[in-house]
Amino acid sequence: MTSSSSTGGYKTVKSWKDWLPKDVSILMVLLGTVFIFEVLGWFIAEQSFIFNTQRLTIIILQMSIIGIIAIGVTQIIIMAGIDLSSGSALAFTGIVAASFAQTSEYTRAVYPALTDMPVLLPIIAGILVGFVLGGINGGLIGYAGIPPFIATLGMLVAARGLARWYTSGSQVSFFIDDYAILGSGIVPVIIFLTTAMAFHLLLRYTRYGRYTYAIGSNEQAARVAGINIRAHKLLVYTLAGGLYGLAAVVETSRTLTAQSGAGMLYELDAIAAVVIGGTSLMGGKGRITGTIIGVCILGVITSGFTFLGIGSFYTNIVKGIIIVAAVAADQYSNNKNANR
Amino acid sequence: MNNQDDIILRTENLTKRYGGVHALEEANFTLKKGEHVAIVGDNGAGKSTFVRQITGVEQPSSGDIFFEGQRVEFNSPLEAREAGIESVFQDLALCNDLDVPSNLFLGREELLFKFGPFSILDEKKMMQKAKEVLERTAIKIPNLSNHVGDMSGGQRQCVAISRSASFASKLIIMDEPTAALGVQETTQVENIIRGLKEQGVPLILISHNLRQVFNLVDKIWVFRRGRIVGEVIAAETDGNEIVSMITGMQDGVHEKASYI
Ligand SMILES: Nc1ncnc2c1ncn2[C@@H]1O[C@H](COP(=O)(O)OP(=O)(O)O)[C@@H](O)[C@H]1O
Ligand SMILES: [Mg+2]
């Protein structure tokens, strides 16, 4: 900054990185990861890792659910917030949605009078309950001024408790056929990509997105500019909650059962995907497209470890390392920017 | 008292306490239409606190604010802004991750389609208007779609000032707008301020640079330890007198030579 006053100080020389679209480097990481597992696959398991329909299907299905959650988390992190409650929220919203999706052929339904309902009812129920949970998060953070980490940690515990309370711990299954479709075949992927597209447009072209980035970038400046910070935080967390509800519908439909233990640690996978996808935990920076790639990277790693027969505890260790590495890289590039 | 119609802003016994800290004590301040005044004072004299009260960033502990003859209570910066009071804050209130038009129009975006928070932005129009606004200030910013975080301090300050100057405002307040700037950038900002004088837009300038103050304003208000200790016509005083008022000491110029 000091040397710049004579020229007006703008950077004229761009590094080659500035010319590439922003997500290319993350895409390379994805391709690299796939390549490594592919090579290891031929060496260790003597078969292709990626050219395997069954494996690809599982990766994609699993990714879609984390992906829908991660979209909600992306906008929260862009706003310099955090949400630890998505996994528990998925469990509770899932169990509520499922309770409206049961078939009359099953005699011990949660609501015997509400069986064989149109499929829209459980979907709306899941999303609405998600709105409420997200709205409570947003209210605590925006209006009561509770730090996002604390507020959503409370919700992490409370929503899990609600999920147990709702059916006294027993799981919900025996769904109508229409509900089962939501989690089968290509449907979850369509739901994920449609949601991703919608939120990409929302963040890029609307006031909603502009304010989300502004608050994450400099909350004080956003307030002085006249943005209603509290209301906006409420809205962002509420919409995220709705996405958790949507993810819960897909998840319960895919597994054909809803249980209070569902979605364990999904919040960490979602946050990891967002951070790997290039969204800064410091706020102000991030894109849905990056998150989609981040979700893919995470899915490939998880599946790749299973494929190579490496235990899930190793997977978790590696995931942990990746999250820390991604945050460190973000920190490093932020420092570099601040110093130039 | 002056002719009421001439006065755009007046405060009566404006007071702000932070717990036990008396940051601002019974400030009686007036600003006439088209007038450019400076507020000077030592660090911690209460200058920024005064600005925060009249721009709605904070609410005073007691006392009244009159704007265009009406008693006003601003509960948020937005309300002050809607009344026509624009401010450039000491700590560059820009969003570093947004580009120039986004910052210029933050909180009052041009819209293609209005639908509450989901209104669609008219980015072309904002870019066009941003270009026009910045052309008038003669500030060279090569690429308006760069993030302001990538720009120099001077360019960013010019964006911040342009933001307040470009909207039909009735009063502009600048809190140490050149404190972090180099010589050239300071000159650019001073030129913008002169332009505002020609346009007849009243201005309150907070500055530590007494030479700048004497060059730019009609009247100087001196704050000391939360109180207004003097108002003097710039043409009828000199640096020594102002420094004595700032410090509360006679011939304070020797101890506080850095002000000049
Ligand atoms: N938010 C706050 N809480 C407590 N004390 C404050 C706060 N803001 C300012 N002060 C105190 O009020 C006094 C005036 O501060 P300020 O208005 O920033 O002075 P200036 O802008 O003239 O340097 C100082 O003593 C400062 O420490
Ligand atoms: Mg100050």
Side-chain angles (χ1 to χ4, degrees), chain B residues 5-37:
Chain B
D5 291 343
D6 278 357
I7 292 174
I8 179 112
L9 177 80
R10 185 162 69 83
T11 70
E12 215 173 272
N13 298 328
L14 197 65
T15 298
K16 180 68 180 181
R17 300 197 179 95
Y18 300 104
V21 182
H22 294 215
L24 188 67
E25 279 289 311
E26 308 201 327
N28 293 308
F29 176 93
T30 51
L31 180 71
K32 282 189 243 162
K33 286 189 177 145
E35 192 179 33
H36 277 200
V37 305

Side-chain angles (χ1 to χ4, degrees), chain A residues 5-6 8 10 202 204-208 210-211 213-214 217-218 221 223-227 235 239 283-285 340, chain B residues 77-78 81 89 93-98 102 106-107 109 111 116-121 123 140 142 150 152 155 184:
Chain A
S5 49
S6 56
Y10 34 88
L202 213 52
R204 178 69 190 75
Y205 296 105
T206 72
R207 217 179 210 171
Y208 175 83
R210 182 62 46 86
Y211 290 1
Y213 282 97
S217 184
N218 185 345
R223 178 175 295 118
V224 169
I227 296 172
L235 184 59
L239 288 193
K285 296 185 194 73
R340 78 172 174 218
Chain B
L78 181 61
R81 219 175 162 188
F89 289 94
L94 293 177
C95 292
N96 283 341
D97 300 301
L98 300 184
S102 308
L106 193 61
E109 288 76 11
L111 303 173
F118 305 115
S119 302
I120 296 171
L121 305 169
E123 304 210 42
K140 297 225 167 33
D150 294 339
S152 76
Q155 290 174 326
Q184 274 200 341

Side-chain angles (χ1 to χ4, degrees), chain A residues 8 16 28 54 82 176 191 247 261 295:
Chain A
W16 61 273
M28 310 249 259
Q54 203 187 347
I82 195 80
I176 51 173
I191 295 178
V295 171

Side-chain angles (χ1 to χ4, degrees), chain B residues 184-209:
Chain B
Q184 274 200 341
E185 298 166 336
T186 300
T187 311
Q188 290 175 333
V189 169
E190 288 171 352
N191 286 337
I192 296 179
I193 293 176
R194 288 195 183 92
L196 292 172
K197 178 73 186 172
E198 278 166 26
Q199 291 168 37
V201 181
L203 172 99
I204 300 175
L205 170 72
I206 296 179
S207 178
H208 273 301
N209 182 338

Side-chain angles (χ1 to χ4, degrees), chain B residues 18 21 23 42-50 52 58 90 175:
Chain B
Y18 300 104
V21 182
D42 217 336
N43 279 327
K47 307 181 295 292
S48 297
T49 303
F50 177 73
R52 285 197 294 270
E58 293 172 356
Q90 191 168 1
D175 192 351

Side-chain angles (χ1 to χ4, degrees), chain B residues 40-47 90 176 208 223 225 246 256 259:
Chain B
V40 300
D42 217 336
N43 279 327
K47 307 181 295 292
Q90 191 168 1
E176 306 200 24
H208 273 301
F223 280 47
R225 296 158 93 202
I246 288 173
K256 290 282 172 178
Y259 275 109

